[in-house]
């Protein structure tokens, strides 16, 4: 507030009182009256100024019309503008100098008093005019004008020589002695113009701002609002004066904002980007605002309120939610691509889908697949009306103890069910389009999507996604995402279905190529196991080329075969089938084990050649030929066991060695030369003959039993040998013990295990005689045969056996060489063998009606169940086999057989 020198007193001039009151108006109206000028300019008047300025600056009317001064509170306009006062004595010199004058001009009172203001502050070219104005003032006239000034020497540091522009209001007064004097009120014009500019800028910002602007007083009530705020909340800006935040926001939000306002007012800490939620008048749409708050101070630094700047961010929040939803959906799709379809198993793929969507996309989810698809039907789409049987294969919930979703009774995992014809799920299956399932009244679920799982234009099942109450309902974007997730899972499920179908077909093919049922052999107790490879996470398993076989040979001998075609898949299974068929064919020729493997080696080499074995042989003769033939390699061990002598002959083509466990002894691996795998060619195979004691256990196997990624071959072989600790147990139990002891669940390769316990033919079941090469040996052979059969209580076979023995011995005498050996073997059938040293094999031919001979072998073929011949190291053996009489199988009548020859 400006200071009036104490020495200045009221004038006796009638206008002095009004002039005195105008001192306050000079400060209040300075911004309004400030003008620019290069010289002294002003106006002299004897009239009274307006009384409005007195009222604005705190100068009021006292009772009786006497004016009195009142102190303006801090924060008034005097804190912002520079107003000073000084008085001029009758001599025209300064006789009073206020503190504000010291601050404005930088001249202390001690130096200013006694100075001529015209000489001290006015430029020389304006002094003459200034002196005339001073004379007028001292003559009793008021004067108001804008005066340029310059601070004289001797001022405070930095102020000397400073130029300025001041608006001066000079009021005549009288001294105590009655002499004329003057009081001068001085206002810094540049400060006024700066304030004017600031006020204009502030008004522009406040009035033209596109943001809601409030000025809140210390009582947390609106002091001023801009037009933008009023346009949102209705009314004019003046209508919002006196309101508080409870008039605009819901109660909880208003309490939070009010507490924040109080904190800003108390601490002075500004608040940036505070999010506030509320509603506009007449609208139910939830709006969001970003609020910035800061404390406002007066010119003296006293807090006078809070500035509120608000921005509507509803659209930005919606866009952010959309962007977040898009990012979440994209992340969900990426996760689905990484996690769904890692397994070629239908149920596992369905569970992988639910692992992705719960809880990231929904709270509960189920997957139902067509029962026909799971059963392996060729076409799985089910009935056209969408009510075919389905099986629930997976369920997931993020809510504890949540019920199974869907209308009707609960469906457990694994249960077969169907949807009613008019249900949304049936409609989704029927139309292949997603459907929204209405929520049950009072239930936990708020929103459910039924999405058909479509792969290659085929509906394979349906997935249901549900959100519980309190979650956001499904929208269009969620629907599209659910369709995409279900489609990806459906493609993987369809691939798993195709793989399962092909895998089952390959298994059927492979199992059809293995011995059906439990093999039976003479003099051996047989047990076998075959385990196909299982599916793994990193590589889906295919059928392999492992096989085993038990082949009955003439003379109560048995061929035991175990092999493994290298590679996997249908080609390996087919190659295995061809090799197994070739083995059985070669075994029926009664070749030696080494010869069988040599022939198999040629056949394996021909499997990869278009022209078969001959083409492969020609290619081998042309090693530099450009075309490359497909190579099939296989390992195989072939053993022939004779139940009469209990001797077993082995030949090995690159396979793992057989394991033998003798009674009372530890298991050991037989030293059988491995040889080269089948298909390599060029190397002969060696044979090893081993006599097996009664009760011994022989084990043949493939590498899948003893080798895996986690267990090397040597470790697996030792574990297998160690598992054969009690060979006296039943063979089935021994097989189960081996499989349970070893790591057979790795699923990396097929496993074939063939175990045989030696039970030699008893001595009293063998009849063996040597006959000299003379005609009488025929009759003697019949006698030996009759006597042996009667001792075995096989009288029904006597006549037939005598007739056939007579034919074979006669042929040996006529076409053979050396001594003749007759042997009868009794086991499950009766076998008769005639040995001689001749190398010529008998060949049956059809005799003409006029021929006297040539019907002996025809007779043997008619009366026996089987017959044949085989080479031996010292000649040949001709044999026939007769079934034992069991009351059901009738024997051929020799007389009718003889008559049928003619």
């Amino acid at each position: 507030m400006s200071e009036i020198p104490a020495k200045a007193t009221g004038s006796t001039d009638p206008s002095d009182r009004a002039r005195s009151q105008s001192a306050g108006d000079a400060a209040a109206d300075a911004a309004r009256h400030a003008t620019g000028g290069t010289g002294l300019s002003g106006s002299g008047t004897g009239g009274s100024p307006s009384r409005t300025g007195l009222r604005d600056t705190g100068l009021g009317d006292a009772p009786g019309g006497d004016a009195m001064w009142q102190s303006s509170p801090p924060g008034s306009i005097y804190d912002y503008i520079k107003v000073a006062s000084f008085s001029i004595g009758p001599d025209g010199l300064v006789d009073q100098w206020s503190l504000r004058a010291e601050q404005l001009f930088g001249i202390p009172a001690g130096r200013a008093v006694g100075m001529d203001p015209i000489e001290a502050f006015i430029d020389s070219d304006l002094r003459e005019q200034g002196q005339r104005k001073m004379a007028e003032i001292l003559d009793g006239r008021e004067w108001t004008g804008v005066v340029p000034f310059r601070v004289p020497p001797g001022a405070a540091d930095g102020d000397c020589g400073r130029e300025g522009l001041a608006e001066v209001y000079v009021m005549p007064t009288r001294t105590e002695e009655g002499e004329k004097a003057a009081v001068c009120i001085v206002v810094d014009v540049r400060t006024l113009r700066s304030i004017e500019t600031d006020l204009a800028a502030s008004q522009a910002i406040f009035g033209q701002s596109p943001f809601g602007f409030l000025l809140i007083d210390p009582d947390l009530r609106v002091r001023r609002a801009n037009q933008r705020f009023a346009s949102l909340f209705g009314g004019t800006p003046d209508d919002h004066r006196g309101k508080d935040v409870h008039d605009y926001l819901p109660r909880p939000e208003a309490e939070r904002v009010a507490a924040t306002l109080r904190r800003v007012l108390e601490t002075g800490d500004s608040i940036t980007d505070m999010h506030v939620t509320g509603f506009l008048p007449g609208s139910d749409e939830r709006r969001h605002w970003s609020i910035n708050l800061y404390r406002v101070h007066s010119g003296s630094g006293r807090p006078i309120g809070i500035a509120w700047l608000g921005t509507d961010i509803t659209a930005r929040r919606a866009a952010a939610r959309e962007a977040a939803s898009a990012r979440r959906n994209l992340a969900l799709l990426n996760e689905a691509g990484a996690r769904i379809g890692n397994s070629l198993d239908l149920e596992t793929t369905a569970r992988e889908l639910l692992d992705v969507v719960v809880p990231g996309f929904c709270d509960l989810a189920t997957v139902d697949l067509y029962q026909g698809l799971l059963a392996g039907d060729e076409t799985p789409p089910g009935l056209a009306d969408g009510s075919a049987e389905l099986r629930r294969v997976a369920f997931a919930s993020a809510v504890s103890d949540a019920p199974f979703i869907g209308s009707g009774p609960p469906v457990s995992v694994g249960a077969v069910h169907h949807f009613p014809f008019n249900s949304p799920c049936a409609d989704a299956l029927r139309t292949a389009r997603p459907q929204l399932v209405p929520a049950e009244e009072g239930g936990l679920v708020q929103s459910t999507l039924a999405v058909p799982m479509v792969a290659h234009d085929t509906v394979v099942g349906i997935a249901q996604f549900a959100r519980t109450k309190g979650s956001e309902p499904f929208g269009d974007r969620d629907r599209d995402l659910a369709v995409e997730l279900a489609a990806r899972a459906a493609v993987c499920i369809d691939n798993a279905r195709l793989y399962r179908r092909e895998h089952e077909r390959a298994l059927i093919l492979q199992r059809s190529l293995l011995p059906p049922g439990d093999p039976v052999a003479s003099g051996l107790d047989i047990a076998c196991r075959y385990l196909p490879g299982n599916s793994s996470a990193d590589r889906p398993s295919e059928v392999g080329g492992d096989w085993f076989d038990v082949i009955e040979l003439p003379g109560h001998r048995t061929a035991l075969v175990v092999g493994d075609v290298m590679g996997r898949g249908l080609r390996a299974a087919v190659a295995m089938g061809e090799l197994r068929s070739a083995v059985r064919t070669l075994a029926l020729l009664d070749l030696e084990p080494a010869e069988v493997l040599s022939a198999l080696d040629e056949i394996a080499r021909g499997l990869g050649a278009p022209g078969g074995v001959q083409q492969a042989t020609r290619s081998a003769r042309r090693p530099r030929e450009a075309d490359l033939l497909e190579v099939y390699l296989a390992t195989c061990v072939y053993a022939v066991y004779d139940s009469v002598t209990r001797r077993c002959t082995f030949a090995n083509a690159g396979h793992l060695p057989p394991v033998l466990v003798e009674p009372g002894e530890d298991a050991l691996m037989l030293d059988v030369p491995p040889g080269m795998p089948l298909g390599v060619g060029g190397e002969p195979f060696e044979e090893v003959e081993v006599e097996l004691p009664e009760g011994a256990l022989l084990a043949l196997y493939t590498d899948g039993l003893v080798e895996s990624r986690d267990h090397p071959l040597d470790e697996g072989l030792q574990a297998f040998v160690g598992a054969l600790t009690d060979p006296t147990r039943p063979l089935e139990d021994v097989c189960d013990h081996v499989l349970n002891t070893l790591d057979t669940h790795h699923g990396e390769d097929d496993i074939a295990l063939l175990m045989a316990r030696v039970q030699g033919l008893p001595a009293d079941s063998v009849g063996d005689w040597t006959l000299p090469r003379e005609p009488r040996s025929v009759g003697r052979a019949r006698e030996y045969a009759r006597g042996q059969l009667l001792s075995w209580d096989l009288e029904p076979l006597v006549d037939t056996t005598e007739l056939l023995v007579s034919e074979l011995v006669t042929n040996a005498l006529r076409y053979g060489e050396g001594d003749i050996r007759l042997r009868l073997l009794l086991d499950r059938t009766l076998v008769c063998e005639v040995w001689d040293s001749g190398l010529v094999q008998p060949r049956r031919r059809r005799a003409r009606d006029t021929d006297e001979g040539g019907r002996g072998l025809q007779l043997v073929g008619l009366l026996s169940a089987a017959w044949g011949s085989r080479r031996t190291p010292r000649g040949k053996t001709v044999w026939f086999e007769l079934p034992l009489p069991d009351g059901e199988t009738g024997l051929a009548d020799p007389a009718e057989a003889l008559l049928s020859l003619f």
Side-chain angles (χ1 to χ4, degrees), residues 109-353:
R111 187 173 181 277
V113 174
M115 292 179 60
D116 184 350
I118 303 300
E119 295 294 332
F121 297 103
I122 304 301
D123 288 338
S124 59
D125 55 345
L126 297 176
R127 289 175 183 171
E128 181 179 355
Q129 184 180 358
Q131 292 293 347
R132 288 198 302 268
K133 290 294 183 184
M134 178 64 69
E136 295 177 359
I137 293 171
L138 293 177
D139 192 34
R141 293 188 60 185
E142 291 185 0
W143 182 84
T144 301
V146 177
V147 180
F149 68 90
R150 181 177 58 191
V151 178
D157 294 341
D159 287 338
C160 183
R162 176 172 60 86
E163 294 182 353
L165 190 65
E167 182 175 352
V168 181
Y169 182 22
V170 182
M171 296 174 290
T173 62
R174 290 184 181 274
T175 64
E176 294 178 353
E177 291 78 10
E179 295 179 308
K180 294 182 178 180
V183 175
C184 299
I185 305 299
V186 182
V187 178
D188 189 347
V189 174
R190 285 189 174 89
T191 301
L192 290 177
R193 289 177 179 175
S194 175
I195 292 175
E196 182 182 28
T197 302
D198 293 344
L199 288 175
S202 175
Q203 182 62 30
I205 294 174
F206 194 85
Q208 303 173 18
S209 172
F211 310 117
F213 213 144
L214 295 178
L215 181 61
I216 299 176
D217 62 17
D219 296 329
L220 303 186
R221 293 190 174 276
V222 176
R223 174 62 62 86
R224 187 177 180 187
N226 71 342
Q227 184 60 40
R228 175 60 178 170
F229 184 88
S231 66
L232 293 176
F233 287 91
T236 64
D238 292 338
D239 295 336
H240 295 275
R241 291 184 178 180
K243 294 184 179 182
D244 61 10
V245 291
H246 292 82
D247 295 319
Y248 304 104
L249 301 174
R251 182 178 181 83
E253 193 77 344
E255 295 292 342
R256 181 175 70 91
V257 174
T260 304
L261 290 174
R262 282 190 290 271
R263 186 171 66 252
V264 172
L265 192 61
E266 293 172 359
T267 64
D269 297 334
S270 60
I271 300 296
T272 303
D273 196 24
M274 174 184 175
H275 288 190
V276 178
T277 303
F279 301 90
L280 293 178
S283 174
D284 294 333
E285 181 185 1
R286 185 181 297 272
R287 309 293 292 182
H288 301 272
W289 294 279
S290 174
I291 304 301
N292 297 316
L293 303 174
Y294 58 92
R295 192 168 67 180
V296 179
H297 303 83
S298 67
S300 62
R302 183 180 65 88
I304 61 174
I306 301 171
W308 169 306
L309 181 63
T311 306
D312 192 331
I313 59 171
T314 304
R316 190 174 73 189
R317 285 279 297 265
R321 286 198 302 270
E322 289 292 325
S325 177
R327 288 192 297 269
R328 182 199 67 183
N329 294 348
L330 181 59
L332 204 61
L333 288 175
N334 291 337
E335 184 181 4
R339 297 180 60 181
I340 299 177
N342 293 326
S343 170
L344 287 175
D345 180 76
L346 294 173
E347 291 81 1
T348 302
T349 303
R351 287 193 296 271
E352 290 171 347
L353 169 63

Side-chain angles (χ1 to χ4, degrees), residues 732-784:
E732 296 293 336
D733 295 344
V734 174
C735 288
D736 293 338
H737 174 71
V738 169
L739 295 179
N740 293 331
T741 302
L742 302 182
D743 180 21
T744 59
H745 301 288
H746 50 76
E748 298 174 9
D749 198 2
D750 297 350
I751 295 174
L753 175 63
L754 177 62
M755 305 192 76
R757 178 174 285 118
V758 175
Q759 296 175 349
L761 205 61
D764 55 2
S765 297
V766 179
D768 197 347
W769 304 274
T770 301
L771 303 174
R773 191 173 186 79
E774 56 185 25
R776 291 182 302 175
S777 296
V778 177
R780 191 173 300 167
R782 288 197 295 270
E783 292 176 1
Y784 290 154

Side-chain angles (χ1 to χ4, degrees), residues 453-699:
M453 306 181 71
V454 183
H456 311 299
D457 298 329
T458 300
V459 179
V460 299
I462 188 170
Q464 297 184 70
F465 309 108
R467 290 178 179 175
T468 57
K469 293 182 178 178
S471 301
E472 185 177 355
F474 289 111
D476 293 339
R477 189 184 297 273
D478 295 324
R479 182 192 298 259
D480 296 339
L481 177 62
V483 170
E484 178 65 22
L485 291 172
R488 292 193 180 192
V491 171
C492 296
I493 288 176
D494 192 58
N495 291 339
R497 177 184 68 85
L498 296 176
Y499 169 77
R500 174 182 288 188
R501 184 186 65 183
E502 298 300 324
H503 186 66
E504 289 177 351
R505 289 179 178 179
L507 285 178
I508 292 174
L509 170 64
Q510 188 176 33
R511 291 185 183 278
S512 67
L513 299 176
L514 297 174
D518 296 328
V520 179
S522 177
L524 291 175
D525 183 13
I526 301 292
C528 55
R529 294 288 187 276
Y530 174 77
L531 300 178
N534 301 320
S535 297
S536 59
D538 56 344
R539 178 184 61 85
S541 177
E542 298 175 329
V543 293
D546 294 15
W547 91 92
F548 67 91
D549 209 345
V550 178
I551 308 171
E552 292 189 77
L553 301 178
H556 291 309
R557 295 172 305 129
T558 303
L560 304 176
V561 188
V562 170
D564 183 6
V565 177
M566 298 182 184
R568 303 190 64 77
L570 276 176
R571 300 181 69 86
V574 171
M576 176 270 290
E578 294 187 27
L579 291 179
R580 178 176 179 268
S581 299
V583 169
R584 296 189 71 87
T585 301
L586 295 172
L588 293 178
L589 296 176
D590 217 347
L591 301 178
E592 296 297 326
E595 295 176 339
V596 171
L597 293 186
S598 296
L600 277 180
D601 180 61
E602 292 292 333
I603 293 173
R605 293 172 61 197
L607 291 178
V613 177
Q614 293 182 356
Q615 179 65 30
T617 304
R618 295 192 191 102
S619 299
R621 294 171 183 171
R622 302 195 305 271
R624 297 183 180 180
E625 189 170 316
D627 58 326
L628 299 177
L629 304 178
E630 188 173 3
V631 178
Y632 284 87
L633 299 178
T635 62
C636 179
V637 58
Y638 185 88
V640 175
Y641 168 72
D642 189 339
S643 61
V644 178
T645 61
R646 295 199 308 275
R647 302 187 69 83
C648 188
T649 304
F650 295 92
N652 191 354
H655 203 77
L656 297 174
V659 175
L660 178 65
V661 185
E662 297 184 3
E665 301 291 340
D666 294 334
L668 56 90
M669 289 182 287
L670 296 178
D671 187 12
V672 179
M676 300 298 293
L678 302 177
V680 176
E683 294 293 333
F685 298 96
E686 300 182 32
E687 293 182 354
V688 173
E689 187 176 65
V690 179
E691 183 175 353
L692 305 179
E694 185 73 18
L697 185 65
L698 180 66

